[in-house]
Amino acid sequence: MSETFKVCFCCSRSFKEKKRQPPGSIKRLFEAYSRNGKMSSDDLLRFVSEVQGEEHAGMDYVQDIFNSVKHHNVFHIHGFVHLNAFYRYLFSDTNSPLPLSRQVHHDMKAPLAHYFVYTGHNSYLTGNQVNSRSSVEPIVQSLRKGVKVIELDLWPNPSGNAAEVRHGGTLTSHEDLQKCLNAIKENAFHVSDYPVIVTLEDHLPPNLQGKVAKMLTRTFRGMLFRFDSESCKHFPSPEELKKKILISTKPPKEYLESQVIQSSRRTPVDRTTSWSGTTNMSWRGEKKIPEEEEESEAVGYRDLIAIHAGNCKSGLEDCLRDDPEKPRRISVNEQWVENVVRTRGSDVVRFTQRNLVRIYPKGTRVDSSNYDPHVGWTHGAQMVAFNMQGHGKQLWIMQGMFRANGGCGYVKKPRILLDTQRLFDPCKSLPIKTTLKVKIFTGEGWDLDFPQTHFDQYSPPDFFVKIGIAGVPRDTVSYRTETAVDQWFPIWKQEFLFQLSVPELALVWFRVQDYDNDTHNDFAGQTCLPLPELKSGIRAVRLHDRAGKPYKNSRLLVSFYFDPPYTF
């Protein structure tokens, strides 16, 4: 059999079509655990125990493997498995490198500050930060992918009589606030029952804050959690907050005070000027509200704020001050974090042991790109806010992190970030705890997921794999395989070693590309896996597209081993 590629109307190129078959190393492995070309149930059980590290597996586990490959019609009689059936099992979803159950297995009874939370930034935007459309669609998509923190920017509408959702000072369109709240209510617990936090970037006068308070109460009703942070030393746990929606924003008093300060620095304003979106507010002019009504509206709005938020404009010492009687949330941009952790990394870790830190992208990321999330994670920041509509390696790492713990949107921080006696400092050189050995055998499925000429008009693809560790600076490194020329079923047989000092915070990532000599290499799939969840042995690594959606067929066959074995 040959594969033909048309060069022009009268010429074509033919390539010998290579079959989907096990590489030599897999054949030898099968021979070691079979007799006369057949593998019995006992043989397969021995294989999954000794090679795959499934030490607690029994015959029920083996039967599940048999059932998973039955439809391939590749069994010998009497329940014996031959080489092709064994190879199909290795490439099946049953043989995933992550737990299949999707069950939550972390302790969910610790305070909220002890968890990384899947966090979105400007959750209503469909594209860039300048002129894209605002919509409820990205809110729905985010929640259905496991995101647990949704951000809404609230501004007065042009007439000043209602609040709307939009990215102020830009050409982005607006969206109806009630539609956004309905979308959150209907999708908040699609992935898990653990709480959803709604962060409000509030640019409203007191009368509209009062209207928003009524909308929140009417929409969420019993879901709305009211938490008096004034009298609590710790945030509640995710377990206590199941099926609850928490509002987080600056209290009205802080907002009004900041407005007074900002107004004193501006040129006096003509009080007949009406609201124009980015300049001066009509509620400061002709429609000024009586002081007693302002206070009443503010009190009602403040009562709905479960997590009080603040910024870091009053100095670093005050910003990282830990009040033992009142936990809080601060919101800072990526540049602030990068600058502070150079000299005060341990202080940030200490602060995040009781308080929440939300990090958001710097203002110059108008294309909705993202930053390195590990800068925040390695210092204990719980809410590393990402543009979920953006694509790229950083978003893939974010998606990989939250594949952990059953994909519920909450990942318990490792002990090293919660130790109050010995504060963790990611910048310090730490001893190597273990070495991750990764061997890439082969891959398949691209011929089923892509058209014949998707990668190259005139020949089969030339695949290579980039592989790396995302983690603390000491552990971060990447390599690439050789290029398998003109092969839909490439074989690489390469092993890579990753020495890890903080494996608890590390992820391993893969990106497959088709090599092109004259143009950019074509994308052929990616994935990212959290090391604390990684199962040892030879595993089928399913690949995803740029947005993180899994391909139906494209996979890599990879082995993972920790030397020495490491218990997370």
Short mmCIF file of all heavy atoms in Angstrom, two decimals, residues 98-150:
data_model
loop_
_atom_site.label_atom_id
_atom_site.label_comp_id
_atom_site.label_asym_id
_atom_site.label_seq_id
_atom_site.Cartn_x
_atom_site.Cartn_y
_atom_site.Cartn_z
N LEU A 98 -3.36 10.09 34.08
CA LEU A 98 -4.04 10.72 35.20
C LEU A 98 -5.17 9.82 35.68
O LEU A 98 -5.68 9.00 34.91
CB LEU A 98 -4.61 12.09 34.80
CG LEU A 98 -3.60 13.15 34.33
CD1 LEU A 98 -4.33 14.45 33.99
CD2 LEU A 98 -2.51 13.39 35.37
N PRO A 99 -5.58 9.94 36.94
CA PRO A 99 -6.67 9.11 37.44
C PRO A 99 -7.92 9.22 36.58
O PRO A 99 -8.29 10.32 36.15
CB PRO A 99 -6.92 9.68 38.85
CG PRO A 99 -5.61 10.29 39.25
CD PRO A 99 -5.03 10.84 37.97
N LEU A 100 -8.57 8.09 36.34
CA LEU A 100 -9.74 8.07 35.47
C LEU A 100 -11.02 8.46 36.19
O LEU A 100 -11.98 8.91 35.57
CB LEU A 100 -9.92 6.66 34.89
CG LEU A 100 -8.90 6.20 33.85
CD1 LEU A 100 -9.14 4.75 33.48
CD2 LEU A 100 -8.97 7.07 32.60
N SER A 101 -11.04 8.30 37.49
CA SER A 101 -12.30 8.45 38.23
C SER A 101 -12.82 9.88 38.24
O SER A 101 -14.01 10.11 38.43
CB SER A 101 -12.11 7.98 39.67
OG SER A 101 -11.18 8.81 40.34
N ARG A 102 -11.92 10.86 38.06
CA ARG A 102 -12.29 12.27 38.15
C ARG A 102 -12.89 12.60 39.51
O ARG A 102 -13.70 13.52 39.65
CB ARG A 102 -13.29 12.65 37.04
CG ARG A 102 -12.81 12.39 35.63
CD ARG A 102 -11.76 13.40 35.21
NE ARG A 102 -12.32 14.72 35.01
CZ ARG A 102 -11.59 15.80 34.77
NH1 ARG A 102 -10.28 15.71 34.70
NH2 ARG A 102 -12.17 16.97 34.59
N GLN A 103 -12.50 11.86 40.52
CA GLN A 103 -13.00 12.12 41.87
C GLN A 103 -12.10 13.11 42.59
O GLN A 103 -10.89 13.12 42.42
CB GLN A 103 -13.08 10.82 42.66
CG GLN A 103 -14.16 9.86 42.19
CD GLN A 103 -14.22 8.61 43.06
OE1 GLN A 103 -13.31 8.33 43.83
NE2 GLN A 103 -15.29 7.86 42.90
N VAL A 104 -12.73 13.93 43.42
CA VAL A 104 -11.99 14.86 44.27
C VAL A 104 -11.31 14.05 45.36
O VAL A 104 -11.96 13.27 46.07
CB VAL A 104 -12.94 15.90 44.89
CG1 VAL A 104 -12.20 16.78 45.89
CG2 VAL A 104 -13.57 16.75 43.79
N HIS A 105 -9.99 14.18 45.51
CA HIS A 105 -9.27 13.39 46.50
C HIS A 105 -8.39 14.24 47.40
O HIS A 105 -7.70 13.70 48.27
CB HIS A 105 -8.42 12.31 45.80
CG HIS A 105 -7.50 12.82 44.76
ND1 HIS A 105 -6.23 13.25 45.05
CD2 HIS A 105 -7.68 13.03 43.42
CE1 HIS A 105 -5.65 13.66 43.94
NE2 HIS A 105 -6.49 13.55 42.93
N HIS A 106 -8.39 15.56 47.22
CA HIS A 106 -7.67 16.43 48.15
C HIS A 106 -8.54 16.71 49.37
O HIS A 106 -9.78 16.63 49.30
CB HIS A 106 -7.30 17.75 47.48
CG HIS A 106 -6.29 17.62 46.39
ND1 HIS A 106 -5.77 18.69 45.71
CD2 HIS A 106 -5.69 16.53 45.85
CE1 HIS A 106 -4.90 18.27 44.80
NE2 HIS A 106 -4.85 16.96 44.87
N ASP A 107 -7.91 17.05 50.47
CA ASP A 107 -8.64 17.49 51.66
C ASP A 107 -9.29 18.83 51.35
O ASP A 107 -8.60 19.82 51.10
CB ASP A 107 -7.67 17.61 52.84
CG ASP A 107 -8.31 18.26 54.06
OD1 ASP A 107 -9.56 18.25 54.15
OD2 ASP A 107 -7.57 18.80 54.91
N MET A 108 -10.61 18.89 51.39
CA MET A 108 -11.34 20.10 51.02
C MET A 108 -11.90 20.84 52.24
O MET A 108 -12.75 21.71 52.10
CB MET A 108 -12.48 19.76 50.05
CG MET A 108 -12.03 19.07 48.78
SD MET A 108 -10.83 20.03 47.82
CE MET A 108 -11.88 21.30 47.14
N LYS A 109 -11.39 20.49 53.43
CA LYS A 109 -11.92 21.08 54.66
C LYS A 109 -10.99 22.13 55.27
O LYS A 109 -11.22 22.59 56.38
CB LYS A 109 -12.20 19.97 55.68
CG LYS A 109 -13.29 19.01 55.21
CD LYS A 109 -13.57 17.94 56.25
CE LYS A 109 -14.68 17.00 55.75
NZ LYS A 109 -14.96 15.93 56.74
N ALA A 110 -9.95 22.50 54.55
CA ALA A 110 -9.03 23.54 55.02
C ALA A 110 -9.58 24.92 54.61
O ALA A 110 -10.45 25.02 53.75
CB ALA A 110 -7.64 23.32 54.44
N PRO A 111 -9.06 26.00 55.21
CA PRO A 111 -9.52 27.34 54.81
C PRO A 111 -9.28 27.61 53.33
O PRO A 111 -8.36 27.06 52.72
CB PRO A 111 -8.67 28.28 55.69
CG PRO A 111 -8.28 27.46 56.86
CD PRO A 111 -8.12 26.06 56.35
N LEU A 112 -10.10 28.46 52.76
CA LEU A 112 -10.05 28.77 51.33
C LEU A 112 -8.66 29.21 50.89
O LEU A 112 -8.25 28.95 49.75
CB LEU A 112 -11.07 29.86 51.03
CG LEU A 112 -11.52 30.05 49.59
CD1 LEU A 112 -12.22 28.81 49.06
CD2 LEU A 112 -12.45 31.25 49.48
N ALA A 113 -7.91 29.87 51.77
CA ALA A 113 -6.58 30.36 51.42
C ALA A 113 -5.59 29.24 51.16
O ALA A 113 -4.49 29.49 50.66
CB ALA A 113 -6.05 31.27 52.54
N HIS A 114 -5.93 28.01 51.48
CA HIS A 114 -5.03 26.87 51.30
C HIS A 114 -5.16 26.22 49.93
O HIS A 114 -4.62 25.12 49.72
CB HIS A 114 -5.28 25.82 52.38
CG HIS A 114 -4.84 26.25 53.75
ND1 HIS A 114 -4.61 25.37 54.78
CD2 HIS A 114 -4.57 27.49 54.26
CE1 HIS A 114 -4.22 26.03 55.86
NE2 HIS A 114 -4.21 27.33 55.56
N TYR A 115 -5.85 26.85 49.00
CA TYR A 115 -6.11 26.24 47.70
C TYR A 115 -5.75 27.19 46.55
O TYR A 115 -5.92 28.41 46.65
CB TYR A 115 -7.59 25.86 47.57
CG TYR A 115 -8.04 24.86 48.61
CD1 TYR A 115 -8.44 25.30 49.87
CD2 TYR A 115 -8.03 23.50 48.35
CE1 TYR A 115 -8.83 24.41 50.84
CE2 TYR A 115 -8.43 22.59 49.33
CZ TYR A 115 -8.81 23.05 50.57
OH TYR A 115 -9.20 22.14 51.54
N PHE A 116 -5.26 26.59 45.46
CA PHE A 116 -5.21 27.30 44.19
C PHE A 116 -6.61 27.20 43.58
O PHE A 116 -7.23 26.12 43.60
CB PHE A 116 -4.20 26.67 43.24
CG PHE A 116 -2.78 26.71 43.74
CD1 PHE A 116 -2.01 25.55 43.80
CD2 PHE A 116 -2.19 27.90 44.14
CE1 PHE A 116 -0.70 25.58 44.24
CE2 PHE A 116 -0.88 27.94 44.60
CZ PHE A 116 -0.13 26.78 44.64
N VAL A 117 -7.10 28.30 43.03
CA VAL A 117 -8.46 28.33 42.48
C VAL A 117 -8.38 28.73 41.01
O VAL A 117 -7.69 29.68 40.64
CB VAL A 117 -9.35 29.33 43.25
CG1 VAL A 117 -10.81 29.15 42.85
CG2 VAL A 117 -9.19 29.15 44.76
N TYR A 118 -9.09 28.00 40.17
CA TYR A 118 -9.12 28.24 38.72
C TYR A 118 -9.79 29.58 38.47
O TYR A 118 -11.00 29.74 38.69
CB TYR A 118 -9.89 27.11 38.07
CG TYR A 118 -9.55 26.82 36.62
CD1 TYR A 118 -10.15 25.73 35.97
CD2 TYR A 118 -8.66 27.58 35.89
CE1 TYR A 118 -9.85 25.42 34.65
CE2 TYR A 118 -8.36 27.30 34.57
CZ TYR A 118 -8.97 26.20 33.97
OH TYR A 118 -8.69 25.91 32.65
N THR A 119 -9.03 30.57 37.99
CA THR A 119 -9.48 31.97 37.99
C THR A 119 -9.43 32.60 36.61
O THR A 119 -8.42 32.51 35.91
CB THR A 119 -8.59 32.79 38.97
OG1 THR A 119 -8.67 32.21 40.26
CG2 THR A 119 -9.05 34.24 39.03
N GLY A 120 -10.51 33.27 36.24
CA GLY A 120 -10.59 33.96 34.97
C GLY A 120 -10.41 35.47 35.13
O GLY A 120 -10.64 36.03 36.20
N HIS A 121 -10.00 36.12 34.05
CA HIS A 121 -9.82 37.57 34.00
C HIS A 121 -10.70 38.14 32.90
O HIS A 121 -10.76 37.60 31.80
CB HIS A 121 -8.35 37.91 33.72
CG HIS A 121 -8.09 39.37 33.48
ND1 HIS A 121 -7.81 39.88 32.23
CD2 HIS A 121 -8.09 40.43 34.34
CE1 HIS A 121 -7.62 41.18 32.33
NE2 HIS A 121 -7.80 41.55 33.60
N ASN A 122 -11.43 39.22 33.22
CA ASN A 122 -12.37 39.80 32.24
C ASN A 122 -13.16 38.70 31.55
O ASN A 122 -13.13 38.54 30.32
CB ASN A 122 -11.61 40.65 31.22
CG ASN A 122 -11.09 41.94 31.82
OD1 ASN A 122 -11.41 42.29 32.95
ND2 ASN A 122 -10.28 42.67 31.07
N SER A 123 -13.88 37.94 32.36
CA SER A 123 -14.49 36.68 31.92
C SER A 123 -15.54 36.83 30.83
O SER A 123 -15.96 35.84 30.22
CB SER A 123 -15.11 35.97 33.12
OG SER A 123 -14.16 35.76 34.13
N TYR A 124 -15.98 38.04 30.57
CA TYR A 124 -17.04 38.30 29.60
C TYR A 124 -16.52 38.61 28.20
O TYR A 124 -17.30 38.71 27.25
CB TYR A 124 -17.88 39.50 30.09
CG TYR A 124 -17.01 40.68 30.44
CD1 TYR A 124 -16.65 41.63 29.50
CD2 TYR A 124 -16.49 40.81 31.73
CE1 TYR A 124 -15.81 42.69 29.82
CE2 TYR A 124 -15.65 41.87 32.06
CZ TYR A 124 -15.31 42.79 31.10
OH TYR A 124 -14.47 43.82 31.42
N LEU A 125 -15.21 38.76 28.02
CA LEU A 125 -14.66 39.14 26.72
C LEU A 125 -14.47 37.91 25.83
O LEU A 125 -13.99 36.87 26.27
CB LEU A 125 -13.32 39.86 26.88
CG LEU A 125 -13.37 41.29 27.43
CD1 LEU A 125 -11.97 41.88 27.49
CD2 LEU A 125 -14.28 42.17 26.58
N THR A 126 -14.80 38.08 24.55
CA THR A 126 -14.66 36.98 23.60
C THR A 126 -13.32 37.00 22.87
O THR A 126 -12.95 36.01 22.23
CB THR A 126 -15.78 37.04 22.54
OG1 THR A 126 -15.73 38.32 21.89
CG2 THR A 126 -17.15 36.87 23.19
N GLY A 127 -12.59 38.12 22.95
CA GLY A 127 -11.33 38.23 22.22
C GLY A 127 -10.35 39.14 22.92
O GLY A 127 -10.08 38.99 24.11
N ASN A 128 -9.82 40.12 22.18
CA ASN A 128 -8.80 41.00 22.74
C ASN A 128 -9.39 41.99 23.75
O ASN A 128 -10.61 42.06 23.94
CB ASN A 128 -8.05 41.74 21.62
CG ASN A 128 -8.95 42.70 20.86
OD1 ASN A 128 -9.57 43.59 21.41
ND2 ASN A 128 -9.03 42.51 19.54
N GLN A 129 -8.51 42.76 24.40
CA GLN A 129 -8.92 43.66 25.47
C GLN A 129 -9.29 45.05 24.97
O GLN A 129 -9.61 45.92 25.78
CB GLN A 129 -7.77 43.80 26.47
CG GLN A 129 -7.24 42.49 27.02
CD GLN A 129 -8.18 41.85 28.01
OE1 GLN A 129 -8.65 42.49 28.93
NE2 GLN A 129 -8.46 40.57 27.82
N VAL A 130 -9.28 45.26 23.64
CA VAL A 130 -9.48 46.60 23.10
C VAL A 130 -10.83 46.77 22.42
O VAL A 130 -11.57 47.71 22.72
CB VAL A 130 -8.34 46.96 22.10
CG1 VAL A 130 -8.57 48.36 21.52
CG2 VAL A 130 -7.00 46.90 22.79
N ASN A 131 -11.15 45.88 21.51
CA ASN A 131 -12.39 46.09 20.73
C ASN A 131 -13.17 44.81 20.48
O ASN A 131 -13.94 44.73 19.53
CB ASN A 131 -12.07 46.76 19.39
CG ASN A 131 -11.11 45.94 18.53
OD1 ASN A 131 -10.71 44.83 18.91
ND2 ASN A 131 -10.75 46.46 17.38
N SER A 132 -12.98 43.79 21.31
CA SER A 132 -13.72 42.55 21.11
C SER A 132 -15.13 42.66 21.69
O SER A 132 -15.47 43.62 22.37
CB SER A 132 -12.97 41.37 21.74
OG SER A 132 -12.93 41.50 23.14
N ARG A 133 -15.90 41.64 21.45
CA ARG A 133 -17.31 41.62 21.88
C ARG A 133 -17.42 41.09 23.31
O ARG A 133 -16.75 40.14 23.69
CB ARG A 133 -18.11 40.74 20.92
CG ARG A 133 -19.61 40.68 21.19
CD ARG A 133 -20.31 39.95 20.05
NE ARG A 133 -19.83 38.58 19.92
CZ ARG A 133 -20.38 37.51 20.51
NH1 ARG A 133 -21.43 37.67 21.29
NH2 ARG A 133 -19.89 36.31 20.31
N SER A 134 -18.27 41.73 24.11
CA SER A 134 -18.60 41.21 25.43
C SER A 134 -19.82 40.30 25.31
O SER A 134 -20.73 40.58 24.52
CB SER A 134 -18.91 42.35 26.41
OG SER A 134 -17.77 43.17 26.58
N SER A 135 -19.83 39.22 26.06
CA SER A 135 -20.90 38.23 25.90
C SER A 135 -20.95 37.32 27.13
O SER A 135 -19.98 37.22 27.90
CB SER A 135 -20.63 37.38 24.64
OG SER A 135 -21.51 36.28 24.56
N VAL A 136 -22.07 36.63 27.28
CA VAL A 136 -22.18 35.62 28.34
C VAL A 136 -21.54 34.30 27.91
O VAL A 136 -21.27 33.44 28.74
CB VAL A 136 -23.66 35.35 28.73
CG1 VAL A 136 -24.30 36.63 29.25
CG2 VAL A 136 -24.45 34.79 27.55
N GLU A 137 -21.27 34.15 26.60
CA GLU A 137 -20.75 32.87 26.10
C GLU A 137 -19.43 32.47 26.76
O GLU A 137 -19.29 31.32 27.20
CB GLU A 137 -20.59 32.95 24.58
CG GLU A 137 -21.90 33.10 23.83
CD GLU A 137 -21.69 33.46 22.37
OE1 GLU A 137 -20.54 33.35 21.89
OE2 GLU A 137 -22.67 33.84 21.72
N PRO A 138 -18.42 33.36 26.85
CA PRO A 138 -17.18 32.94 27.51
C PRO A 138 -17.36 32.64 28.99
O PRO A 138 -16.62 31.83 29.55
CB PRO A 138 -16.23 34.12 27.28
CG PRO A 138 -17.09 35.27 26.92
CD PRO A 138 -18.30 34.71 26.25
N ILE A 139 -18.33 33.26 29.63
CA ILE A 139 -18.62 32.95 31.03
C ILE A 139 -19.11 31.52 31.16
O ILE A 139 -18.64 30.75 32.00
CB ILE A 139 -19.66 33.94 31.60
CG1 ILE A 139 -19.10 35.37 31.60
CG2 ILE A 139 -20.10 33.52 33.00
CD1 ILE A 139 -20.10 36.43 32.02
N VAL A 140 -20.04 31.17 30.28
CA VAL A 140 -20.59 29.80 30.29
C VAL A 140 -19.49 28.79 29.99
O VAL A 140 -19.35 27.77 30.68
CB VAL A 140 -21.74 29.68 29.27
CG1 VAL A 140 -22.19 28.22 29.13
CG2 VAL A 140 -22.91 30.56 29.67
N GLN A 141 -18.69 29.06 28.96
CA GLN A 141 -17.63 28.14 28.58
C GLN A 141 -16.62 27.96 29.71
O GLN A 141 -16.18 26.83 29.99
CB GLN A 141 -16.93 28.65 27.32
CG GLN A 141 -17.78 28.60 26.07
CD GLN A 141 -17.13 29.30 24.89
OE1 GLN A 141 -15.97 29.73 24.96
NE2 GLN A 141 -17.87 29.44 23.79
N SER A 142 -16.25 29.05 30.36
CA SER A 142 -15.29 28.97 31.46
C SER A 142 -15.82 28.11 32.60
O SER A 142 -15.12 27.22 33.11
CB SER A 142 -14.95 30.37 31.97
OG SER A 142 -14.26 31.12 31.00
N LEU A 143 -17.03 28.36 33.02
CA LEU A 143 -17.61 27.60 34.13
C LEU A 143 -17.73 26.13 33.78
O LEU A 143 -17.51 25.25 34.63
CB LEU A 143 -18.98 28.17 34.50
CG LEU A 143 -18.96 29.56 35.17
CD1 LEU A 143 -20.36 30.14 35.23
CD2 LEU A 143 -18.35 29.47 36.56
N ARG A 144 -18.03 25.83 32.53
CA ARG A 144 -18.18 24.43 32.12
C ARG A 144 -16.83 23.73 31.94
O ARG A 144 -16.78 22.52 31.76
CB ARG A 144 -19.02 24.35 30.84
CG ARG A 144 -20.48 24.64 31.10
CD ARG A 144 -21.37 24.56 29.88
NE ARG A 144 -22.77 24.50 30.29
CZ ARG A 144 -23.48 23.40 30.41
NH1 ARG A 144 -22.93 22.24 30.12
NH2 ARG A 144 -24.73 23.42 30.80
N LYS A 145 -15.75 24.50 31.96
CA LYS A 145 -14.41 23.91 31.93
C LYS A 145 -13.79 23.83 33.32
O LYS A 145 -12.65 23.39 33.46
CB LYS A 145 -13.51 24.73 31.01
CG LYS A 145 -13.87 24.62 29.54
CD LYS A 145 -13.00 25.54 28.69
CE LYS A 145 -13.38 25.43 27.21
NZ LYS A 145 -12.59 26.39 26.37
N GLY A 146 -14.52 24.29 34.34
CA GLY A 146 -14.04 24.17 35.70
C GLY A 146 -13.56 25.45 36.34
O GLY A 146 -13.12 25.43 37.49
N VAL A 147 -13.62 26.58 35.63
CA VAL A 147 -13.20 27.86 36.22
C VAL A 147 -14.14 28.21 37.38
O VAL A 147 -15.35 28.05 37.28
CB VAL A 147 -13.22 28.98 35.16
CG1 VAL A 147 -12.96 30.34 35.79
CG2 VAL A 147 -12.17 28.70 34.08
N LYS A 148 -13.54 28.65 38.48
CA LYS A 148 -14.33 28.92 39.69
C LYS A 148 -14.29 30.37 40.15
O LYS A 148 -14.91 30.71 41.16
CB LYS A 148 -13.85 28.01 40.83
CG LYS A 148 -14.28 26.55 40.67
CD LYS A 148 -15.80 26.41 40.77
CE LYS A 148 -16.26 24.97 40.67
NZ LYS A 148 -17.72 24.85 40.86
N VAL A 149 -13.57 31.22 39.45
CA VAL A 149 -13.58 32.66 39.75
C VAL A 149 -13.89 33.41 38.47
O VAL A 149 -13.14 33.34 37.49
CB VAL A 149 -12.24 33.14 40.34
CG1 VAL A 149 -12.33 34.63 40.68
CG2 VAL A 149 -11.88 32.34 41.59
N ILE A 150 -15.00 34.11 38.46
CA ILE A 150 -15.46 34.87 37.30
C ILE A 150 -15.35 36.36 37.62
O ILE A 150 -15.79 36.82 38.68
CB ILE A 150 -16.93 34.52 36.97
CG1 ILE A 150 -17.07 33.05 36.58
CG2 ILE A 150 -17.46 35.43 35.86
CD1 ILE A 150 -16.34 32.67 35.31
#
